[in-house]
């Protein structure tokens, strides 16, 4: 009895020891990773990024991952953005906030830029202060594309959409001359996924214009113009595509790509993701191509990136999380209807030559409608227009 009693005590002590050991183990705090998704004008799909964070947490049981979407107003300053990120280990944000974020790169930990080949000029936009680093890792890009109705192409006797601006003009002339009456060749998606300013800038870059030569004849070579010159030409080169005999009073616009398909117009500009979000039956009605360019191709695009704020409490785990995002670029981009920020791409309808440059949209500022109309009609001189052009229309062509 005595031995059995002692054995029983030993067993009880052992069980209590295991029990307290397990409790102690459970009490050990897990590491925490805070992911903040900065959304600006509904640029990002917060739910998809939150799901990505949840999947990462399931694969790393030693880590608690919190993912929160916070709204940032267009035009927010860096201090306002950093206020949203004061508890963040990882920041996910759209490129339209880059203009503010890039004013002080030391606000973010440098990340390795050797894992992927970033498209030309995007690598410059995200370049860090040290060699082979970036201040944020671009995950996906959403390029501007030209959307052309297949019926218009077929009516012009062609099998493929126009690839040059003269062919665009010709197709527009043939379409209008079929007896359907006069209507704008272009429709602009206004205040939606993209704006008229993106379209004008796309056209400007395609033809090699800069701010000071837009009011001159197309045939004249680029040179530095006298800023006092009246902007008589303005963007009247766009006017010919609108089929307008008289001064423009209203911009021919629609709100969505779906609405464009209901009009008689045959061409519009849109984001690639807007095309991808169409039902398959609607995608079958259009061609999607790169915007025509006579020389080196310049593509306006939007992007999403990930960064580690310098105030992050767990920067090393944050970098691991971003590395995981980069490894899932294809599926992440596919879910957003975008392209991975990795060059080159295969199987996309746009033909981007190897020397294509991608111009990043880094703000959402736009000129008011009346200013756009005044510019199209040539009613502003270059000094008056200058205050609107810089934030709303002009995208540096990077000396291309």
């Amino acid at each position: 009895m005595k031995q059995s009693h002692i054995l029983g005590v030993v067993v009880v002590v052992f069980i209590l020891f295991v029990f307290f050991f397990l409790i102690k183990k459970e009490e050990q705090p897990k590491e925490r990773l805070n992911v903040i998704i900065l959304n600006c004008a509904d640029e990002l799909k917060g739910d998809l990024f939150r799901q990505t964070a949840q999947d990462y947490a399931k694969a790393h049981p030693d880590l608690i991952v919190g993912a929160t979407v916070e709204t940032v107003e267009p035009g927010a300053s860096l201090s306002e953005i950093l206020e949203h990120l004061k508890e963040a280990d990882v920041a996910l944000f759209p490129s339209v906030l880059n203009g503010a974020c890039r004013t002080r790169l030391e606000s973010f930990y440098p990340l390795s830029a050797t894992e992927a080949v970033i498209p030309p000029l995007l690598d410059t936009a995200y370049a860090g202060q040290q060699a082979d680093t970036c201040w944020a890792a671009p995950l996906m890009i959403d390029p501007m594309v030209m959307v052309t109705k297949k019926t218009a192409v077929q009516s012009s006797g062609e099998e493929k959409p126009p690839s040059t601006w003269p062919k665009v003009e010709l197709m527009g002339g043939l379409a209008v001359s079929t007896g359907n009456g006069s209507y704008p060749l272009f429709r602009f998606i206004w205040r939606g996924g993209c704006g008229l300013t993106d379209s004008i800038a796309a056209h400007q870059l395609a033809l090699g214009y800069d701010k000071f030569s837009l009011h001159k004849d197309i045939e004249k070579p680029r040179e530095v113009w006298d800023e006092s010159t009246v902007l008589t030409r303005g963007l009247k080169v766009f006017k010919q595509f609108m089929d307008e005999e008289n001064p423009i009073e209203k911009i021919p616009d629609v709100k969505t790509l779906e609405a464009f398909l209901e009009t008689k117009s045959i061409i519009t500009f849109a984001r690639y993701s807007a095309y991808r979000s169409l039902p398959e039956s609607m995608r079958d009605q259009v061609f999607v191509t790169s915007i025509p360019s006579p020389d080196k191709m310049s593509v306006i695009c939007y992007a999403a990136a990930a960064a580690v704020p310098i105030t992050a409490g767990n920067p090393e785990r944050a970098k691991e999380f971003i590395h995981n995002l980069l490894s899932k670029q294809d599926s992440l981009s596919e879910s957003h209807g975008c392209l991975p920020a990795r060059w080159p791409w295969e199987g996309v309808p746009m033909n981007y030559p190897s020397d294509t440059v991608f111009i990043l949209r880094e703000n959402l500022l736009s000129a008011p409608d009346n200013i756009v109309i005044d510019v199209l009609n040539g009613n502003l001189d270059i000094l008056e227009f200058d205050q609107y052009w810089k934030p709303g229309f002009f995208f540096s062509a990077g000396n291309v």
Side-chain angles (χ1 to χ4, degrees), residues 9-185:
V9 171
V10 171
V11 171
V12 170
V13 170
F14 177 76
I15 292 174
L16 289 174
F17 174 78
V18 172
F19 178 72
F20 283 115
F21 175 78
L22 292 175
I23 291 178
K24 193 68 177 177
K25 185 176 181 181
E26 285 296 324
E27 288 177 351
Q28 292 179 353
K30 292 183 177 182
E31 284 190 88
R32 184 171 182 85
L33 187 72
N34 292 325
V35 179
I36 301 296
I37 303 154
L38 296 181
N39 206 355
C40 181
D42 293 325
E43 283 286 307
L44 297 184
K45 297 180 180 179
D47 290 343
L48 292 178
F49 278 115
R50 268 201 301 256
Q51 184 60 53
T52 301
Q54 291 172 9
D55 293 341
Y56 186 78
K58 291 178 182 178
H60 297 79
D62 63 324
L63 192 63
I64 298 175
V65 182
T68 306
V69 178
E70 297 200 13
T71 301
V72 178
E73 294 298 320
S77 66
L78 177 61
S79 60
E80 291 171 325
I81 292 172
L82 293 178
E83 181 65 21
H84 286 281
L85 299 178
K86 60 185 180 181
E87 302 294 332
D89 296 304
V90 177
L92 301 172
F93 56 93
S95 62
V96 295
L97 297 178
N98 281 23
C101 291
R102 286 199 294 111
T103 59
R104 200 163 73 233
L105 297 186
E106 60 270 20
S107 300
F108 304 92
Y109 277 95
L111 303 172
S112 172
T114 60
E115 293 186 40
V117 180
I118 303 173
L121 280 197
L122 259 71
D123 53 358
T124 302
Y126 289 103
Q129 294 178 309
Q130 304 168 17
D132 295 326
T133 67
C134 54
W135 65 272
L139 303 172
M140 64 189 79
I141 75 168
D142 195 3
M144 294 288 297
V145 295
M146 189 168 76
V147 179
T148 309
K149 291 181 180 176
K150 288 184 177 180
T151 52
V153 175
Q154 294 164 355
S155 298
S156 67
E158 299 290 337
E159 295 182 357
K160 297 181 179 180
S163 56
T164 65
W165 289 110
K167 289 183 178 180
V168 169
E169 275 191 273
L170 176 62
M171 189 178 68
L174 290 173
V176 172
S177 65
T178 58
N180 294 326
S182 178
Y183 53 85
L185 171 60

Side-chain angles (χ1 to χ4, degrees), residues 184 187-188 190 196 236 238-239 242-253 368-379:
R187 287 276 171 180
F188 301 104
W190 191 241
L196 177 61
K236 284 186 177 179
F238 241 61
K239 186 176 177 181
M242 291 182 177
D243 190 32
E244 298 275 354
E245 291 288 335
N246 300 311
I248 296 171
E249 297 179 0
K250 182 181 179 181
I251 298 167
D253 67 285
D369 296 23
N370 63 308
I371 297 300
V372 175
I373 292 172
D374 279 343
V375 171
L376 289 168
N377 289 325
N379 294 334

Side-chain angles (χ1 to χ4, degrees), residues 338-396:
C338 299
L339 299 174
R342 184 187 64 250
W343 178 259
W345 302 291
E346 296 181 0
V348 298
M350 299 79 70
N351 294 318
Y352 293 134
S354 59
D355 61 349
T356 301
V357 292
F358 294 85
I359 314 298
L360 201 59
R361 186 75 152 101
E362 296 195 305
N363 62 61
L364 283 178
L365 300 175
S366 296
D369 296 23
N370 63 308
I371 297 300
V372 175
I373 292 172
D374 279 343
V375 171
L376 289 168
N377 289 325
N379 294 334
L380 299 179
D381 65 36
I382 195 121
L383 292 179
E384 291 174 315
F385 186 38
D386 191 52
Q387 60 181 312
Y388 298 105
W389 182 270
K390 286 181 178 178
F393 289 164
F394 186 62
F395 297 81
S396 170

